[in-house]
Amino acid sequence: MITIEDIIEQQRNYDSQADQNLLIRARDFCIRSHHGQKSPEGLDYLQHSLEVAAILARLKVDETTLVVGILHDTLTSGRVSRDELSTEFGQEILDLIEVGKKISSIQYRQSDQQQVESFRKMFVAMARDLRVILVYLADRLSDMRHIDYRKELEQISYSHETLEIYAPLANRLGISWLKGELEDLALKVLEPDKYAALAQRITAHKEERSEYVEEVREQICKLLEKNNLQGEVTGRFKHFYSVYRKMERTGVGLDQIYDLTAFRVLVNSVRECYEVLGLVHATWKPIPGRFKDYIAMPKTNMYQSLHTTVIGPFGKRMEVQIRTREMHRIAEEGIAAHWKYKEGGAVAVTGRDDKRFNWLRQVLEWQRDMSTEWSASDTSFIDLFPEEVYVFTPNGDVKELPQGACPIDFAYAIHTDVGQQCVGARINGKLCPLKTVLKNGDIVEVLTSAHQTPSKDWLSFVKTPKARNKIRHWVKAEQRDRSIEIGRELLEKELRKHQYSMKRAMALESFSRAVNELGFKAADDVFAAIGYGKLSAGQVVSCALPKDALKQQIGKPGTLGKVLGKLSRRKSQSDILIGGIDNVMVRFANCCNPLPGEPVTGFITRGRGLTVHAKNCPQVLASEVERRIDVDWDMQRKTTRPVKIQVICSDQKGMLVGISGAIANADANICSASVHARGDRKGTNLFEIDVENLEHLNRVIRGIKKVKGVIRVERIRN
């Protein structure tokens, strides 16, 4: 039976300043909240809570973590409220318990390796505080120690979860003893016969094995000291699960497992590594074929070490690993980190993840070496995976998404068709907008409709590359279909001028040849190019129809020829040249109001002549390509064009005089003016002036900007 006094005594060994009254209050609160409640083995529930605290005390945690360990299940009992807990122990302890409660409510479902890795990450990401992870590792170890009292199916489920989630987390945190005990307890449930066989064959009791390891460790230390070598020696005996895994992985029997007992020697240089190797071989008989030199020939993952197996004291086989401290640092913290290759490597772990788990190990070391209280504001609060969010499908599968992801990202992560037909989502049972940002632990259900299609607006808030690419692909395909339709209509129209139907033209051998000559693979590609404006219908016709069919049109004015013919017979004072023809009646577009000197293009309108637009005018860019015509300014003509400018200035005396004077000094005429005083001590002035060309307008604007009090001058296009 564990008592609160036992835990207080453990804590005093590493923190003499701890508040023992706080632990006693936590014990009393736990008794009240779990009154009458029994653990699976029939003991008062308090015993489970105190066992969790005792495990945590072995990890040398702070008193806050010990209190959370004692109280971790109080909110689930239903006998105390959040307010009571907060009033008694403070908001920090309440927050830690609530985070743990949320994690424990998630139903783990055994799945593939990628799902398991995502679940581990989600566990850490949701915990955020290292102390929550430690509490739930301790809670799991306590549960596994008493797993025999649970139902058989629950034992199996619990053990799978322990092996796949909790033991690897303990390993990544560097808590090897906890990891080993969790694995052995899980193996005992999942493979009882194999566990019993191993236990029977490995005859030495745990205490005897520990004594053996310590005795050999001391012998190696004396061997180093005798030869004036400084080194650090550690030893351990393999756990049952570790032996089982090696036998399963290699297909060998227990007699061929040569590292049941292993020792590691850390020295200062490569020379000393080989010197220690010679001493070990001279002291104990090496087993032939069991020496590996990973220093001279490092593994591809940069791992370096000397491995040898010898017949040690009392005739027992033992493995000795010898490396420098730098090699050990690379093995522990680099790409060959122990926790990665021991877990099998089935799931790729990024360097970024590696750094985060290494940081966790450092935090744990700081915790063990602490001389003052472990402050939550210093090292305990973590955000290991700030770029990811982990959410569940209704069936319990974990999906890893980038931070800021929404239900549409989730839908595409399930399947492309689900994403394409997504019309809504339920998050934790509630209908939510598709823009809703998902949080760790959310359960997301996607609502679909066979009539739904992706929206281009989705691109503004989706986060995953898959969702973005699929939406873009669909939008592009939709635009292509529309462009093919438009291009086909334009080409049909052009063919009718030559008395050809589309069906008749496409049956011609010259049409197929034209498709290839124009660089396309199929007729639809040609139609799309016409629809996109990359190719004109006239170009296609000139390549696709027989020459004699085109000759019949020579001398016969087409639509453009007729229009230009009519226009050329009219007198105009325009300063626009069309294909070298002057005196053409034209009009200037009000949407862009082009000025001489600006790049322009002409557009043949139906019944209203030629309209001149600025080349970058959105309206003309959206128009039919075959109705556009190249035009240019006749810069020999000296005419003026009206243009509107807006002047924002301070609301003060003399501003209008100064602005109008600047316009006059630039040789421009004011056609009209509108002056408005705003409520923010500023004025808005709209002028219509006559200028000769773009350079003249720029000169006027520069002059106005020099007037004191002028804030901004801009051209108004319409």
Side-chain angles (χ1 to χ4, degrees):
M1 298 285 285
I2 302 172
T3 66
I4 195 66
E5 287 73 25
D6 296 331
I7 297 170
I8 291 172
E9 186 61 32
Q10 278 184 279
Q11 188 187 25
R12 280 178 178 167
N13 292 333
Y14 63 88
D15 185 4
S16 59
Q17 305 299 317
D19 181 3
Q20 65 181 40
N21 290 327
L22 182 62
L23 296 180
I24 294 172
R25 282 167 46 211
R27 189 259 329 254
D28 295 341
F29 193 89
C30 182
I31 292 173
R32 178 154 54 93
S33 62
H34 294 292
H35 179 68
Q37 187 178 353
K38 300 292 183 180
S39 61
E41 61 270 30
L43 299 175
D44 285 343
Y45 200 84
L46 174 67
Q47 271 303 300
H48 166 70
S49 299
L50 292 178
E51 185 173 13
V52 170
I55 295 168
L56 290 168
R58 183 175 174 182
L59 296 173
K60 299 181 180 179
V61 299
D62 67 334
E63 61 189 27
T64 298
T65 312
L66 288 175
V67 171
V68 174
I70 296 171
L71 303 177
H72 70 280
D73 277 337
T74 52
L75 288 180
T76 60
S77 70
R79 300 185 181 184
V80 295
S81 66
R82 297 175 65 261
D83 292 340
E84 287 180 272
L85 191 57
S86 177
T87 301
E88 186 73 22
F89 297 100
Q91 188 65 37
E92 180 186 12
I93 287 176
L94 173 63
D95 290 343
L96 293 173
I97 292 173
E98 285 198 316
V99 171
K101 180 184 175 185
K102 183 177 181 181
I103 293 173
S104 63
S105 67
I106 296 171
Q107 296 297 313
Y108 172 72
R109 190 166 68 90
Q110 189 180 2
S111 189
D112 57 51
Q113 282 296 100
Q114 187 63 55
Q115 284 283 311
V116 170
E117 180 64 20
S118 294
F119 196 96
R120 290 176 196 150
K121 288 183 178 181
M122 187 194 66
F123 184 103
V124 177
M126 288 180 65
R128 292 179 63 83
D129 194 304
L130 173 62
R131 294 171 294 183
V132 175
I133 300 174
L134 296 179
V135 167
Y136 275 85
L137 284 173
D139 178 53
R140 178 49 59 109
L141 179 56
S142 175
D143 288 341
M144 289 301 296
R145 285 174 176 174
H146 308 284
I147 193 71
D148 293 343
Y149 295 94
R150 296 178 181 268
K151 295 178 181 178
E152 184 177 354
L153 289 178
E154 191 176 356
Q155 289 184 34
I156 294 172
S157 173
Y158 233 62
S159 298
H160 275 301
E161 188 176 1
T162 297
L163 278 182
E164 295 179 344
I165 303 299
Y166 290 88
L169 282 175
N171 189 27
R172 295 182 187 195
L173 286 170
I175 316 172
S176 57
W177 66 267
L178 198 155
K179 171 227 177 206
E181 189 172 350
L182 285 174
E183 289 177 337
D184 285 353
L185 291 168
L187 178 65
K188 188 176 180 180
V189 173
L190 298 175
E191 298 286 354
D193 294 339
K194 293 181 179 179
Y195 179 89
L198 280 174
Q200 184 178 3
R201 295 191 64 186
I202 302 175
T203 56
H205 296 293
K206 191 171 183 179
E207 294 77 9
E208 294 173 353
R209 297 202 308 266
S210 299
E211 290 175 4
Y212 172 81
V213 168
E214 182 58 29
E215 184 175 339
V216 175
R217 194 189 73 82
E218 289 180 1
Q219 288 187 32
I220 297 175
C221 287
K222 289 178 181 178
L223 187 64
L224 296 180
E225 185 178 349
K226 182 180 177 180
N227 289 273
N228 298 318
L229 291 170
Q230 292 183 346
E232 178 184 338
V233 183
T234 56
R236 53 110 174 105
F237 204 95
K238 271 187 177 292
H239 289 280
F240 291 158
Y241 182 76
S242 184
V243 176
Y244 163 76
R245 277 290 303 276
K246 190 156 192 174
M247 291 171 62
E248 290 291 308
R249 187 172 64 250
T250 60
V252 300
L254 184 64
D255 293 337
Q256 295 173 282
I257 302 294
Y258 297 111
D259 59 346
L260 288 178
T261 308
F263 297 88
R264 182 175 293 146
V265 183
L266 304 182
V267 290
N268 297 319
S269 67
V270 173
R271 180 186 62 79
E272 291 178 347
C273 288
Y274 288 100
E275 193 171 344
V276 171
L277 176 68
L279 292 172
V280 170
H281 282 180
T283 306
W284 296 292
K285 183 178 179 179
I287 296 176
R290 298 302 303 170
F291 168 63
K292 297 175 183 177
D293 188 346
Y294 293 121
I295 292 180
M297 293 177 290
K299 290 185 178 182
T300 55
N301 59 10
M302 296 169 51
Y303 177 86
Q304 287 185 288
S305 184
L306 297 176
H307 290 194
T308 187
T309 303
V310 299
I311 304 296
F314 313 111
K316 293 185 178 181
R317 295 185 296 270
M318 65 181 191
E319 183 186 61
V320 182
Q321 299 176 0
I322 308 165
R323 65 182 72 151
T324 67
R325 289 179 171 82
E326 176 62 17
M327 292 174 189
H328 183 64
R329 186 192 67 79
I330 293 173
E332 291 295 310
E333 301 173 8
I335 62 171
H338 182 78
W339 59 267
K340 278 190 288 190
Y341 64 75
K342 286 296 182 186
E343 286 169 26
V347 178
V349 183
T350 65
R352 184 183 65 210
D353 296 342
D354 185 14
K355 290 179 181 177
R356 289 168 181 153
F357 283 111
N358 181 51
W359 184 86
L360 274 178
R361 288 196 291 270
Q362 291 177 0
V363 172
L364 196 64
E365 289 302 318
W366 299 337
Q367 162 67 5
R368 288 171 177 164
D369 298 336
M370 70 180 180
S371 56
T372 58
E373 182 177 352
W374 190 30
S375 169
S377 62
D378 295 335
T379 59
S380 63
F381 185 76
I382 55 176
D383 195 359
L384 279 177
F385 301 99
E387 297 90 353
E388 291 99 20
V389 62
Y390 301 89
V391 294
F392 285 98
T393 68
N395 293 330
D397 290 330
V398 181
K399 294 296 179 183
E400 177 181 337
L401 300 170
Q403 195 66 245
C406 64
I408 295 175
D409 294 298
F410 177 84
Y412 276 102
I414 296 173
H415 195 277
T416 298
D417 290 343
V418 177
Q420 306 285 57
Q421 298 176 1
C422 177
V423 293
R426 285 193 182 94
I427 302 176
N428 302 321
K430 296 180 180 179
L431 282 171
C432 296
L434 291 175
K435 287 185 178 181
T436 303
V437 175
L438 299 177
K439 301 188 292 296
N440 280 314
D442 281 344
I443 299 174
V444 186
E445 178 186 357
V446 179
L447 307 178
T448 61
S449 169
H451 304 293
Q452 174 69 4
T453 55
S455 168
K456 192 174 182 180
D457 295 338
W458 291 358
L459 291 171
S460 64
F461 53 84
V462 294
K463 298 295 182 182
T464 58
K466 179 178 180 180
R468 191 174 298 278
N469 290 338
K470 293 295 182 182
I471 295 167
R472 281 177 176 163
H473 178 76
W474 188 91
V475 170
K476 186 175 180 181
E478 185 74 5
Q479 289 177 340
R480 174 179 166 82
D481 291 344
R482 177 61 180 153
S483 296
I484 289 173
E485 183 182 344
I486 293 173
R488 190 181 186 97
E489 290 177 0
L490 293 174
L491 186 58
E492 280 182 327
K493 187 176 180 180
E494 185 68 22
L495 286 169
R496 282 198 297 269
K497 299 176 185 177
H498 301 270
Q499 288 77 49
Y500 269 82
S501 67
M502 178 65 74
K503 184 178 180 180
R504 181 186 172 197
M506 292 183 69
L508 296 173
E509 183 181 342
S510 57
F511 189 94
S512 299
R513 188 168 55 250
V515 170
N516 295 326
E517 289 176 356
L518 291 169
F520 299 101
K521 294 181 179 179
D524 278 355
D525 296 332
V526 176
F527 301 152
I530 296 172
Y532 280 131
K534 298 177 181 178
L535 192 66
S536 73
Q539 288 177 277
V540 177
V541 168
S542 63
C543 293
L545 294 186
K547 299 301 179 184
D548 56 345
L550 294 173
K551 287 178 181 178
Q552 294 175 9
Q553 299 298 316
I554 295 177
K556 297 182 180 180
T559 303
L560 180 59
K562 292 176 181 177
V563 172
L564 291 179
K566 292 178 181 178
L567 291 177
S568 63
R569 289 192 290 272
R570 301 179 187 175
K571 273 290 185 183
S572 171
Q573 299 300 316
S574 171
D575 46 2
I576 287 292
L577 296 174
I578 305 174
I581 306 172
D582 58 4
N583 273 343
V584 174
M585 186 67 73
V586 298
R587 54 193 292 269
F588 293 93
N590 292 326
C591 55
C592 54
N593 195 23
L595 288 177
E598 286 185 292
V600 287
T601 188
F603 182 77
I604 304 295
T605 62
R606 290 183 173 90
R608 291 184 297 168
L610 179 72
T611 303
V612 178
H613 292 261
K615 246 184 182 173
N616 60 356
C617 174
Q619 188 168 322
V620 77
L621 290 176
S623 66
E624 300 173 20
V625 177
E626 73 278 2
R627 300 183 70 83
R628 301 178 204 168
I629 184 171
D630 291 334
V631 298
D632 205 351
W633 296 100
D634 183 359
M635 300 306 290
Q636 302 301 316
R637 281 181 172 272
K638 295 297 181 183
T639 59
T640 60
R641 294 274 306 137
V643 64
K644 293 179 181 178
I645 57 173
Q646 180 176 265
V647 182
I648 308 297
C649 63
S650 300
D651 185 9
Q652 61 188 41
K653 292 181 180 179
M655 285 305 305
L656 186 57
V657 174
I659 295 171
S660 58
I663 295 173
N665 291 337
D667 296 327
N669 180 52
I670 299 176
C671 301
S672 66
S674 174
V675 181
H676 175 66
R678 298 174 359 190
D680 55 357
R681 300 185 61 81
K682 293 178 183 175
T684 300
N685 309 282
L686 185 63
F687 296 94
E688 182 175 344
I689 60 176
D690 284 333
V691 295
E692 295 177 359
N693 50 43
L694 183 61
E695 195 283 325
H696 188 190
L697 172 63
N698 291 335
R699 192 165 71 247
V700 172
I701 291 174
R702 288 195 297 269
I704 297 173
K705 285 182 176 179
K706 292 179 181 178
V707 177
K708 187 176 181 181
V710 170
I711 299 171
R712 186 171 70 253
V713 185
E714 57 188 3
R715 177 182 175 185
I716 305 299
R717 286 284 186 177
N718 49 35

